[in-house]
Amino acid sequence: MRPPGLSGSAGRRSRAEQPRGAPRAGLERCGPGRSTGLPSGAMSGGGEQSVRGASSGTSPLRTYPALPVWVVEDHHDVLPFIYRAIGSKHLPVSNISFVHLDSHPDLLIPVNMPADTVFDKEALFSEISIENWIMPAVYAGHFSRVIWLHPPWAQQIEEGTHHFLVGKDTSTTTIRVTSTESYFLSDGLYVPADQLENEKPLHLSVRLMNPTNPNNNQEGSRAPSSAKRLKLSDETADTAVASSSRDTEVPPCVSSDAQPKALGSSTQAQERAEDSPGTSASCSFGDHSCQTTELIKDILQVLQKDAAYVLDIDLDFFSVKNPFKEIYTQEEYKLLKELYSFKKPNSSASEEDLLDCVENRIHQLEDLEAAFADFCDDDSEEILERWALNPGMRPLLPLVHSLKNRMVTPNYELVHQAGLTCDYSEIPHHVSTEEEIEDLVEAMTHLLRNLPKPTLLTIARSSLDDYCPADQVELIQEKVLNSLHSVYGTLDVHLEYLEDFSPTGTDSSSTV
């Protein structure tokens, strides 16, 4: 099992330290009114009493007078507000759909966290981070369907529909998955289905959302590189889902002006989509009307099966940076890629091959973490040469030499965190023009007009750690909130990220 501190690989961002070097406080920011988990995964609003007996369909769900919008800085800080809605019976305890617009999947798992931590609210919120906060809610039984809508430059998980299990590994008591996607394999998270207990099935839809004017984005028509693809088994969700299965899909671009309906009216919304132009069997792959209809139909087929859903938006969906590229030189980043490279199993790999792959990967990351931990105490040439003798670790020599030439005291923990983000696929880096941002906001607006109204909406700024460009975040937030207001009308907006910067007693909520 991997030692503490390994998080954020598999082409995903890491937040063990912010790129500027100083570790940031995580969930200590959550005050008494914000740390709101439940031993059973649910808690009530107001007095925050447990509602263990509540489940989807057992009692009527309450409705909010206006759609609540919780705006936070770090993405994992939205989870307490989702749990609060479960406890107050605005959301059901189980079978919640989660629609996630982000340049990053956020679907990793705290590698050493005991699975039962999900039943202890304070412990759970102290363990999660920006890259690994969704899957614990899946294991807790709350989210059963996740729809990751990604922009053209984010390709960490293969496009399509994936069905797999999320459960407790009987050998380590940690949360693990049966998916054989590289995203999970490269973080050592795969185990066979017979090694799990208390498993929960997850329906994961990965869908591309193109801007309304794809010509403004030169990457929009680029297919994912072969290095980012992994052929999985052809098992469907109705079988034991020992590994992922994928359905063929059409990359979408949205365009419609229909108004959103209540969730119970999703059938009407789907009929409206089916009646839209471009629904004939002869529509071409590049026909944006056809792509629009396909995306809307795909999402509605997921949402109509559940009683409620959460809409979640990371502002880095619209413009995103890889902050580590601004810290290290091109040559240093190349050396990190060599050190942390992940060799994926071939498409016909057996279960034994997959287990060997995971074991080798865990040992590789353990060795790298131990090496950089040693360098924190002593980065002399003798220590460096000793570590470089290990298989695959020769690039340590030129890397550390380069770092020491540029920095008085290299931050080796940050170097390790940077390496974890560049194994089989780099984390996305695409600083959008204002025109590109506007096109994506317009695409989102058209999509949401054709979907049912969510129960609540969460937004992450992701700007303090430089994933969403700091000089664009205010512009993007304004455009997104204006878009949501145009679609849903009155919003109950809570600017939680201002809490730490406001005088005591200042109310950071507003009605739009």
Side-chain angles (χ1 to χ4, degrees), residues 12-13 73 75 100-106 130 148-151 153-154 156 312-323 427-432 437 440 459-463 465-469 472-473 476-477 480:
R12 181 55 174 120
R13 53 188 173 180
E73 181 58 50
H75 209 155
H100 179 59
L101 282 74
D102 200 328
S103 282
H104 312 93
D106 295 352
I130 58 171
W148 177 38
L149 299 178
H150 63 92
W153 49 80
Q156 298 94 313
D312 175 73
I313 302 169
D314 195 315
L315 299 186
D316 72 17
F317 173 86
F318 304 93
S319 183
V320 66
K321 291 169 66 176
N322 177 350
I427 56 177
H429 182 87
H430 180 95
V431 179
S432 302
I437 292 169
L440 276 172
I459 296 176
R461 288 163 56 89
S462 299
S463 63
D465 47 14
D466 288 338
Y467 287 102
C468 184
Q472 292 182 325
V473 66
I476 296 172
Q477 181 171 311
V480 167

Side-chain angles (χ1 to χ4, degrees), residues 216-231:
N216 288 335
N217 178 8
Q218 296 180 356
E219 298 182 71
S221 59
R222 186 188 69 189
S225 65
S226 59
K228 296 176 183 176
R229 289 184 175 271
L230 175 66
K231 183 177 179 181

Side-chain angles (χ1 to χ4, degrees), residues 350-457:
S350 65
E351 182 178 299
E352 183 178 357
D353 293 332
L354 293 171
L355 290 173
D356 287 343
C357 169
V358 169
E359 183 177 3
N360 291 336
R361 178 61 174 172
I362 291 173
H363 289 160
Q364 176 190 6
L365 297 180
E366 287 177 345
D367 289 345
L368 286 165
E369 183 178 45
F372 284 110
D374 264 7
F375 299 157
C376 290
D377 298 326
D378 182 358
D379 61 356
S380 64
E381 197 67 17
E382 179 184 355
I383 298 297
L384 182 58
E385 287 279 0
R386 188 170 62 194
W387 275 107
L389 292 175
N390 290 306
M393 298 182 75
R394 196 66 188 171
L396 280 173
L397 283 171
L399 174 63
V400 174
H401 289 160
S402 177
L403 293 171
K404 292 173 72 173
N405 286 336
R406 292 196 307 113
M407 309 171 185
V408 176
T409 305
N411 184 333
Y412 290 115
E413 183 180 354
L414 189 62
V415 175
H416 176 58
Q417 294 298 330
L420 290 171
T421 68
C422 57
D423 40 23
Y424 76 97
S425 169
E426 291 184 33
I427 56 177
H429 182 87
H430 180 95
V431 179
S432 302
T433 64
E434 186 169 348
E435 188 175 17
E436 287 176 316
I437 292 169
E438 187 62 44
D439 286 342
L440 276 172
V441 171
E442 184 179 343
M444 179 190 72
T445 304
H446 292 323
L447 172 66
L448 297 182
R449 289 188 189 280
N450 282 275
L451 299 182
K453 185 177 180 179
T455 299
L456 80 159
L457 205 152

Side-chain angles (χ1 to χ4, degrees), residues 135-177:
M135 282 300 205
V138 173
Y139 176 71
H142 304 316
F143 299 157
S144 59
R145 295 175 175 87
V146 174
I147 302 171
W148 177 38
L149 299 178
H150 63 92
W153 49 80
Q155 304 166 349
Q156 298 94 313
I157 301 178
E158 187 167 349
E159 204 77 6
T161 301
H162 307 256
H163 300 276
F164 56 92
L165 300 176
V166 181
K168 180 196 289 189
D169 181 354
T170 55
S171 65
T172 65
T173 73
T174 56
I175 301 174
R176 292 295 183 263
V177 302

